[in-house]
Amino acid sequence: MAGIKDVAQRAGVSAATVSRALSGNGKVSPATRARVQQAAEELGYVVSFNASSLASGRSRNIGVVVPTVSRWFFSTVLEGIAGELISAGYDLTLYDTGGQEQHRVSVFSDLLLRKRLDAVITVTLKLSDNEVRQLASVDKPVVAIGGFIPEIATIRVDDFNTTALLTEHLIELGHTRIAFLGGSEEFDVDFKLTTARQDGFEYALDQANLEVRPEWLLAANFTTEGAYRKIRSLLSMPRERPTAVVCASDEMAFGALLAARDFGIDVPGDFSVVGMDGHDLSELFGLTTFSQDARSQGIWAVRKILELLGERELERDPTDGFYPTEFIARSTTAPPPRP
């Protein structure tokens, strides 16, 4: 079996250069790296993970902590993270807390501290002071996706203003009777996502001197099924109905669209619907939404981690200010029906 010296001889470089080129640790020119990789491939040389880890002090393994993998946003963020880590030659260790406090305690007090990881990415988890100290004690770079965490590089979107802008879009079309569908209390634990988006909705109504009607402030579980039930109940009310609804996620907006269809309510002629996220199916539904590009957030979280590990330089810092979002107007919004 070929060894590192054989690869070095064929590539015309030192063994140390081969190690740096194949491990990703240290600076090597692209041309040299390509020459070393070609020589290794021709000789059938495979880097010894254990030897590389001992030499570099790195495990080339990144831990990712999420509250669940069953929802579109988290699975899409993970898709971006996994793809970028593979390209960088890193492994991924996934910790799914399942929303269970005891699982979260176990992850931060034990699993993450076993020194098998080079860095940690957390997704929509607001780290406590104690959790931050635990990670700092083992000198692990951390990047968070979600709301602001002091002393932690965080990729976050402006939930308040994006929801306000969605609401303003409906108001500019002429809507005055607008409902809001947010998440239930369990989704407000870490970064107050539901609160921030509802606050943006209420702010926009207030700026337009429109009434916030408590009976039109609804909560579901960020699923299409949960939203379908809530909006179906809303639209079945015999008295005055809203002419539009702001949904705190695209998946809930899909449920609103299906509920309107059940009642034969025309969208957008009689009822306008907006969502937020940029779900992969939002274009298929013709949904007006704010895209926050979840996959790209995962990619940039890895790039920021690699910068913190000293492996690359970034052309822009994704944690500097709010992550960019894009308003996309489609066919689910229009002026309200005439009285």
Side-chain angles (χ1 to χ4, degrees):
M1 181 179 293
I4 192 170
K5 291 183 179 179
D6 300 311
V7 177
Q9 183 177 1
R10 174 163 293 199
V13 299
S14 68
T17 299
V18 172
S19 177
R20 290 196 301 272
L22 297 181
S23 69
N25 296 316
K27 294 184 178 180
V28 179
S29 72
T32 299
R33 189 184 303 277
R35 193 163 71 250
V36 169
Q37 290 173 338
Q38 181 178 353
E41 184 177 345
E42 291 172 352
L43 293 171
Y45 175 75
V46 179
V47 177
S48 167
F49 174 79
N50 290 333
S52 178
S53 295
L54 288 172
S56 66
R58 296 271 181 86
S59 66
R60 299 197 70 77
N61 188 13
I62 305 298
V64 180
V65 189
V66 297
T68 180
V69 294
S70 63
R71 299 290 169 82
W72 173 85
F73 176 80
F74 300 105
S75 62
T76 305
V77 167
L78 279 173
E79 182 182 327
I81 290 173
E84 194 70 6
L85 285 177
I86 289 172
S87 297
Y90 272 81
D91 292 326
L92 180 157
T93 298
L94 177 64
Y95 299 95
D96 180 356
T97 68
Q100 301 291 321
E101 181 63 25
Q102 62 190 40
H103 292 172
R104 178 167 172 162
V105 170
S106 177
V107 165
F108 283 97
S109 65
D110 183 20
L111 299 179
L112 290 181
L113 306 185
R114 291 180 182 173
K115 301 187 178 181
R116 297 182 301 183
L117 305 172
D118 291 336
V120 177
I121 298 172
T122 65
V123 185
T124 70
L125 296 174
K126 185 175 183 180
L127 303 183
S128 67
D129 291 341
N130 185 52
E131 288 168 342
V132 172
R133 284 194 297 270
Q134 287 174 319
L135 291 171
S137 70
V138 290
D139 196 27
K140 303 293 185 187
V142 181
V143 169
I145 297 175
F148 175 72
I149 306 174
E151 302 179 20
I152 298 293
T154 307
I155 295 173
R156 58 199 175 104
V157 300
D158 189 347
D159 290 301
F160 177 91
N161 278 307
T162 50
T163 312
L165 287 168
L166 281 169
T167 309
E168 288 169 10
H169 167 67
L170 294 171
I171 294 171
E172 288 174 358
L173 288 172
H175 291 275
T176 59
R177 307 199 309 270
I178 308 171
F180 176 80
L181 179 59
S184 47
E185 291 182 1
E186 65 200 86
F187 298 97
D188 222 24
V189 173
D190 280 294
F191 289 117
K192 308 297 182 185
L193 171 65
T194 296
T195 297
R197 293 184 179 180
Q198 182 172 324
D199 285 348
F201 167 76
E202 294 186 8
Y203 172 81
L205 291 187
D206 180 69
Q207 292 299 296
N209 295 315
L210 296 176
E211 179 187 6
V212 177
R213 297 178 58 159
E215 68 272 23
W216 290 351
L217 296 177
L218 310 174
N221 58 358
F222 278 98
T223 67
T224 297
E225 296 82 5
Y228 169 80
R229 290 191 292 269
K230 285 289 184 177
I231 298 300
R232 203 174 189 285
S233 176
L234 175 70
L235 296 178
S236 67
M237 295 173 61
R239 297 183 180 180
E240 185 181 42
R241 296 171 174 167
T243 61
V245 61
V246 174
C247 299
S249 78
D250 283 354
E251 288 178 283
M252 292 200 293
F254 301 155
L257 293 172
L258 294 173
R261 183 194 64 181
D262 277 5
F263 284 96
I265 295 174
D266 179 63
V267 175
D270 297 317
F271 189 59
S272 287
V273 179
V274 297
M276 181 172 175
D277 277 339
H279 192 288
D280 294 338
L281 295 178
S282 61
E283 185 175 5
L284 180 64
F285 277 87
L287 180 66
T288 295
T289 185
F290 248 105
S291 173
Q292 59 171 315
D293 200 349
R295 186 177 294 102
S296 180
Q297 288 187 49
I299 291 171
W300 277 99
V302 173
R303 292 176 180 174
K304 181 63 179 179
I305 281 288
L306 295 178
E307 181 195 49
L308 294 175
L309 290 170
E311 291 202 13
R312 69 165 60 176
E313 295 181 359
L314 294 179
E315 60 270 27
R316 67 178 179 89
D317 187 348
T319 66
D320 183 13
F322 289 113
Y323 195 77
T325 53
E326 179 187 8
F327 174 67
I328 304 173
R330 295 197 179 101
S331 59
T332 60
T333 53
R338 293 182 178 180

